[in-house]
Amino acid sequence: MARSFIPTLITTISWEGFHFAGHEIRITEAKDCYGAVVWPSALVLCYFLETHAKQYNMVDKNVIEIGAGTGLVSIVASLLGARVTATDLPELLGNLQYNISRNTKMKCKHLPQVKELSWGVALDRDFPRSSNNFDFILAADVVYAHPFLEELLMTFDHLCRETTIILWAMRFRLEKENKFVDRFKELFDLEEISSYPSLNIKLYKAMKKNRRSA
């Protein structure tokens, strides 16, 4: 999960370098915005996807990332063969699209899509339940905007069908993170599948409760 930083003294635009799924990935961050920075939880999730590619096969799967930020997780999922929709707030889409385009063009089986998603807003219009056929929902460090946690929960619930698997990496900082997990468990079966104590990060797998037998 190593990263390398290339300062603007050498290139015209600063970027950080990562290596996942057999590719060098160059990510441009926006230092003035929390959502456009690569956080450790994103590295944890990328590492997990790469090292568990057989168990959680992304090839030809429909994948949506919420709170995609810089796009690193979406890029890795795309390089692993998924049909990816990367989503975030409108002010982040420009940098998100730039990173995804520069790192996936001519490298991926399916061209990733970038789409606006504000948690809890216009979900029926922009992501109608009838067309939600996501095999996986990916999320890294999305529990940070504490005033919008109910909207985040609503968004998870809306995007999930009975067979959708959520892979969610989360860094615990405050008591509110624990309270959100408790609320989340009211709607989803939650399983901790990996832990990184030195980073205070846990990786979860979740599926909707009360699923009918396939």
Side-chain angles (χ1 to χ4, degrees), residues 144-175:
Y144 65 90
H146 294 129
F148 302 101
L149 294 186
E150 282 300 318
E151 290 81 358
L152 173 60
L153 188 62
M154 182 191 312
T155 301
F156 272 125
D157 183 58
H158 181 86
L159 295 174
C160 273
R161 57 179 183 170
E162 293 174 354
T163 57
T164 302
I165 295 173
I166 298 171
L167 294 176
W168 165 30
M170 174 175 168
R171 183 179 181 187
F172 287 79
R173 303 179 182 87
L174 304 170
E175 180 61 26

Side-chain angles (χ1 to χ4, degrees), residues 37-106:
V37 175
V38 176
W39 297 104
S41 291
L43 298 179
V44 165
L45 185 50
C46 289
Y47 176 76
F48 183 85
L49 293 176
E50 179 181 52
T51 56
H52 293 75
K54 291 184 178 179
Q55 184 178 2
Y56 297 95
N57 184 5
M58 295 280 124
V59 177
D60 297 332
K61 298 298 193 300
N62 291 316
V63 175
I64 185 169
E65 183 186 5
I66 62 173
T70 62
L72 179 61
V73 173
S74 286
I75 290 165
V76 172
S78 296
L79 292 171
L80 291 171
R83 297 184 180 91
V84 175
T85 301
T87 70
D88 215 314
L89 297 170
E91 60 267 27
L92 299 176
L93 297 187
N95 189 62
L96 175 58
Q97 181 68 69
Y98 174 75
N99 282 327
I100 285 181
S101 296
R102 75 185 295 193
N103 288 289
T104 61
K105 188 175 182 181
M106 307 299 291

Side-chain angles (χ1 to χ4, degrees), residues 119-132:
W119 300 338
V121 177
L123 295 176
D124 289 322
R125 182 194 70 193
D126 297 336
F127 297 88
R129 287 186 185 273
S130 59
S131 61
N132 285 350

Side-chain angles (χ1 to χ4, degrees), residues 187-204:
L187 297 177
F188 297 91
D189 292 319
L190 188 66
E191 176 188 356
E192 182 182 320
I193 55 177
S194 193
S195 180
Y196 302 81
S198 63
L199 298 172
N200 210 23
I201 292 173
K202 293 182 178 180
L203 182 61
Y204 293 106

